[in-house]
Amino acid sequence: MKKTMYEKIWESHFVHQEPGQAPLLYVDRHLMHEVTSPQAFEGLRMADRPVRNPHSILATMDHCVPTKNRNLPIADPIAKKQIETMADNCEENGLNLYDMESPHNGVIHVVVPEHGFVHPGMVVVCGDSHTATHGAFGALAFGIGTSEVEHVMATQTLPQQKSKTMLVQVDGKLSKHCTAKDIALAIVGVTGTAGGTGYVIEYAGEAIDALSMEGRMTVCNMAIEAGARAGMVAPDQKTFDFLEGKEFAPKGEQWQQALTYWKSLVTDEGAEYDTVVTLNAADIAPQVTWGTSPEQVVGVNGSVPTPESFDDKGKRLACEGALKYMDLEGSTKMTDIEIDYVFIGSCTNGRIEDFRDAAEMAKGTSVAEGVTAIAVPGSVHVKLQAEKEGIDKIFKDAGWEWRDPGCSMCLAMNGDELKDGQRCASTSNRNFEGRQGKGGRTHLVSPAMAAAAAAAGHFVDISKLG
Amino acid sequence: MEQYKKHESVAALMNRNNVDTDQIIPKQFLKKVERSGFGVHLFHDWRYNADGVTDNPEFELNNPAFKGAKVLVAGDNFGCGSSREHAPWAIADFGFNTIISTSYADIFYNNCFKNGILAIVVEPAQLDALMEEINANEGVSFSVDLENQTVTTPGGNGFTFEIDPFRKDNMLNGLDDIGLTLKHVDKISAFEEGHKQRLPWLWA
């Protein structure tokens, strides 16, 4: 029988199914951060259960960490306790932790690929919904809750029902200044935030093949914004080249053995998916969200919709609510929307390629009057690489703040946040009400758009730039 | 986990679609290292006035008729967004043990059942009928019977619902998933041994 990549990975990790119960799936890699793990460790301690495979875990501190003045103690005592608890838990259980002092520290989904910790064909989990990022390597990677974090630590397995499969085919070539982020947002615009519920998405087509590994990570990262359990891309030469030589990548004879295995994972010719969604990359303009859900998105050359333009009652009400919260009028041109703040970073767009894209746009510009712009690299590695390439200087010369790594204003847990009513062009993944600070208004965009908006003070149709 | 059998309770109404976990429990409350005490922060940004303390009378769950409700009737795609289990912890700690909606985000749905919250899926027409019944008679009580998979209402909008038998059994008996899985530890070890042979670089 012809199989999809998802089905192959599923079958190779199936451990057991008790009648009337969910199948048990084996977990190869478990990623961890400070916010969703402490209660899981507490649960293990209370039940006197050990961590079954400490070597399968890689942990970092990212959500609560400050992105400036890192030499000072963390001011928020509750955040400080969470950070200390993470360190204690990792030490107690012998886990590999990239703490705030580590030269490898950063956002979990940026750090893990830098070390080659995830390979094609693996089952990967993390108490974080953006775990799908690692699907870019042809792994089955998905977010779990804290009870499941505890379950995986204790058993190395998870009870899982099999998902349906969705192929998202992106044909053709992207236009100039259109990026992986625009593909990701355009897909959510088509499927809606619940369109992928119950599915694992495989992204394919010429435009996906053409993306770098960083770009594929951006696309897979936002699979959850379409409601999908996971997103994945078939491994190819780019995947192998990215992994080769990395710390946790197979070495020597095992590298060859692994390559043979990885190549066998690709979806069989003629295998069927439960659903197929097709987009043409040439039709994707630079995307900007206008509302409070990632599906409320349009091309920058378009306008904010009016509630009346939606036939569906739920969508019409959602539009009304979103316009009120966002303080926008229907029919306003996207390029007329003025911003107060710009954030480049996060597990969606905090990689070196993102800063290169943004720097190209920021070079020789100045941040517009009244706008605050912060660049937050996804990891220490990204930061150092960017500094080596002079990217930090481009940003600083343009009036940006160049910060230390962390999740920062993606979810605003660490003190980096919008004030009530401020409007932000953000390269993160969610524009929910209050996500970047109570009363803050978020427009999701690509790094290039964020940089262009910082200079102009409003959104810009960058596809028209040379 | 507490056993879930059957109960009758006031049903509260939240007629909004795509309620996300950032609203259910805003990020400023995710820094605690305990599982308890999140109920007071449930829907914080909607629920309280700008002072963060006094109740916002316009927020639906502050309706006095919904006081003590254990059943929450909500719009489509409830619980979308982040994986934070703090969301069901807050919902349970506030007092809800049942949610009725047309659909839930995947991770949130799993998280509910780990925390004794029965997440019931209904057809859009059924949801509309339940919402209308609550609107017409605020403070109305629904009966939920997990064993027989039924919800009954005074207005006659009762229905039977589907639930995965494994989840049902765990809830009825208050079972711990990890304990159940560890009964198969020999099978896990055998699988792991074979996996090591097939993919030795994972352990290198």
Side-chain angles (χ1 to χ4, degrees):
Chain A
M1 200 188 118
K2 303 198 185 306
K3 290 174 187 156
T4 62
M5 178 164 59
Y6 168 68
E7 286 158 341
K8 292 182 191 184
I9 297 175
W10 173 275
E11 285 170 15
S12 65
H13 288 77
F14 173 86
V15 175
H16 174 67
Q17 183 170 15
E18 197 72 2
Q21 296 186 7
L24 279 182
L25 203 63
Y26 190 78
V27 174
D28 297 304
R29 292 289 193 245
H30 190 176
L31 320 177
M32 232 173 245
H33 61 71
E34 75 276 21
V35 177
T36 55
S37 63
Q39 294 87 354
F41 284 106
E42 186 193 42
L44 287 185
R45 262 193 297 275
M46 279 161 59
D48 198 21
R49 287 169 176 150
V51 176
R52 186 178 166 93
N53 285 355
H55 86 274
S56 70
I57 298 174
L58 187 65
T60 184
M61 297 165 169
D62 53 12
H63 281 58
C64 285
V65 303
T67 55
K68 54 183 178 184
N69 302 324
R70 295 258 293 243
N71 52 328
L72 302 176
I74 296 179
D76 176 351
I78 314 173
K80 185 163 176 279
K81 188 177 176 198
Q82 196 170 56
I83 291 285
E84 288 167 357
T85 304
M86 184 78 198
D88 293 346
N89 284 331
C90 288
E91 191 179 345
E92 188 183 323
N93 293 283
L95 309 182
N96 195 359
L97 168 69
Y98 297 153
D99 65 15
M100 278 173 59
E101 282 76 42
S102 165
H104 307 311
N105 179 253
V107 178
I108 186 79
H109 305 309
V110 177
V111 163
V112 161
E114 289 175 343
H115 297 270
F117 194 62
V118 169
H119 312 162
M122 282 181 167
V123 171
V124 181
V125 299
C126 176
D128 191 287
S129 60
H130 291 107
T131 308
T133 308
H134 310 284
F137 290 84
L140 173 60
F142 54 92
I144 57 177
T146 298
S147 294
E148 292 173 312
V149 169
E150 185 180 337
H151 198 118
V152 174
M153 282 201 284
T155 72
Q156 211 58 35
T157 64
L158 263 187
Q160 280 291 299
Q161 294 296 355
K162 203 166 175 182
S163 300
K164 291 180 284 183
T165 54
M166 180 188 290
L167 174 68
V168 174
Q169 170 93 15
V170 189
D171 295 322
K173 290 189 175 62
L174 279 173
S175 312
K176 195 164 165 65
H177 299 306
C178 291
T179 66
K181 181 61 167 291
D182 301 301
I183 295 181
L185 286 168
I187 291 169
V188 180
V190 171
T191 62
T193 52
T197 303
Y199 289 92
V200 165
I201 297 176
E202 182 175 342
Y203 301 97
E206 186 187 349
I208 302 294
D209 292 342
L211 292 175
S212 64
M213 289 311 295
E214 285 85 352
R216 292 176 190 180
M217 285 187 241
T218 300
V219 171
C220 290
N221 173 277
M222 289 191 67
I224 186 74
E225 266 58 65
R229 174 121 277 239
M232 57 205 324
V233 175
D236 62 7
Q237 195 56 43
K238 277 184 199 169
T239 321
F240 311 143
D241 290 345
F242 186 98
L243 285 171
E244 193 168 11
K246 295 260 186 327
E247 184 183 353
F248 294 102
K251 306 271 175 347
E253 213 175 286
Q254 289 189 341
W255 173 256
Q256 290 306 327
Q257 214 181 330
L259 272 184
T260 308
Y261 173 63
W262 295 345
K263 287 175 183 170
S264 76
L265 295 165
V266 176
T267 294
D268 297 329
E269 188 81 36
E272 286 187 11
Y273 297 85
D274 295 301
T275 301
V276 177
V277 173
T278 309
L279 284 84
N280 191 338
D283 298 339
I284 299 175
Q287 302 283 298
V288 183
T289 62
W290 52 266
T292 53
S293 166
E295 70 183 36
Q296 294 173 322
V297 65
V298 288
V300 70
N301 48 2
S303 303
V304 177
T306 58
E308 298 75 44
S309 65
F310 293 95
D311 293 334
D312 178 84
K313 187 181 158 211
K315 284 197 164 44
R316 194 159 63 238
L317 286 174
C319 177
E320 271 172 23
L323 293 188
K324 188 171 169 221
Y325 180 84
M326 295 296 287
D327 191 27
L328 288 173
E329 298 266 350
S331 303
T332 305
K333 283 165 75 177
M334 293 307 289
T335 48
D336 286 345
I337 298 174
E338 294 187 351
I339 53 157
D340 308 298
Y341 219 106
V342 181
F343 167 65
I344 297 185
S346 85
C347 62
T348 310
N349 282 131
R351 300 184 181 80
I352 187 64
E353 184 182 277
D354 300 315
F355 290 94
R356 286 179 188 142
D357 269 5
E360 191 190 323
M361 206 55 87
K363 196 166 188 172
T365 67
S366 318
V367 172
E369 185 78 29
V371 173
T372 305
I374 67 170
V376 185
S379 71
V380 175
H381 285 223
V382 171
K383 185 170 191 241
L384 294 179
Q385 180 62 33
E387 288 172 358
K388 209 165 118 188
E389 297 177 20
I391 287 173
D392 63 318
K393 196 163 177 309
I394 293 175
F395 280 113
K396 286 184 214 158
D397 287 351
W400 288 66
E401 292 178 40
W402 182 250
R403 300 282 189 92
D404 284 318
C407 297
S408 182
M409 259 182 65
C410 174
L411 83 169
M413 263 188 87
N414 73 333
D416 298 343
E417 62 180 354
L418 295 179
K419 293 194 185 73
D420 196 359
Q422 277 187 324
R423 187 181 297 284
C424 180
S426 177
T427 66
S428 53
N429 41 58
R430 291 190 178 129
N431 51 345
F432 298 153
E433 284 185 30
R435 170 88 176 177
Q436 294 192 297
K438 194 178 176 192
R441 298 170 179 136
T442 304
H443 295 270
L444 303 177
V445 294
S446 71
M449 176 65 77
H458 55 80
F459 297 113
V460 178
D461 189 349
I462 53 176
S463 65
K464 296 223 167 72
L465 302 179
Chain B
M1 201 166 77
E2 259 184 65
Q3 295 180 343
Y4 188 117
K5 301 282 187 195
K6 61 179 179 180
H7 67 97
E8 184 178 325
S9 152
V10 171
L13 174 60
M14 213 172 174
N15 188 6
R16 309 187 192 214
N17 291 346
N18 298 315
V19 170
D20 60 74
T21 52
D22 274 83
Q23 295 309 327
I24 296 172
I25 183 85
K27 71 268 169 185
Q28 62 267 38
F29 307 112
L30 305 184
K31 295 170 190 166
K32 287 171 61 163
V33 295
E34 299 86 17
R35 273 176 205 256
S36 55
F38 289 99
V40 67
H41 307 306
L42 180 72
F43 292 116
H44 179 276
D45 289 359
W46 287 344
R47 179 174 161 194
Y48 299 112
N49 290 317
D51 62 9
V53 182
T54 53
D55 286 347
N56 168 13
E58 288 180 15
F59 178 57
E60 47 267 51
L61 297 188
N62 286 334
N63 182 343
F66 296 153
K67 203 169 162 49
K70 286 184 182 299
V71 177
L72 177 64
V73 176
D76 309 338
N77 196 29
F78 192 81
C80 61
S82 107
S83 66
R84 59 187 72 163
E85 197 160 322
H86 311 70
W89 293 337
I91 289 170
D93 192 46
F94 182 82
F96 291 116
N97 67 2
T98 309
I99 310 176
I100 302 176
S101 174
T102 55
S103 57
Y104 302 89
D106 188 33
I107 305 175
F108 175 80
Y109 184 74
N110 282 330
N111 282 341
C112 281
F113 287 92
K114 311 278 183 199
N115 292 283
I117 300 169
L118 175 60
I120 297 174
V121 180
V122 292
E123 291 298 321
Q126 283 172 320
L127 187 71
D128 286 347
L130 295 173
M131 287 184 169
E132 273 172 35
E133 181 169 351
I134 298 172
N135 275 330
N137 183 14
E138 283 182 353
V140 65
S141 283
F142 293 175
S143 296
V144 185
D145 181 345
L146 177 57
E147 178 79 58
N148 293 305
Q149 298 176 214
T150 59
V151 173
T152 46
T153 79
N157 290 308
F159 57 92
T160 58
F161 58 88
E162 297 293 321
I163 179 173
D164 176 284
F166 177 56
R167 293 191 200 277
K168 177 180 173 180
D169 195 52
N170 282 3
M171 284 197 94
L172 284 172
N173 297 300
L175 292 177
D176 160 18
D177 269 7
I178 298 178
L180 282 174
T181 298
L182 285 174
K183 283 185 187 168
H184 308 298
V185 71
D186 53 333
K187 294 190 181 73
I188 296 171
S189 297
F191 174 88
E192 201 162 56
E193 217 29 65
H195 205 54
K196 253 183 220 182
Q197 302 291 329
R198 285 189 297 275
L199 315 171
W201 57 87
L202 293 187
W203 276 265

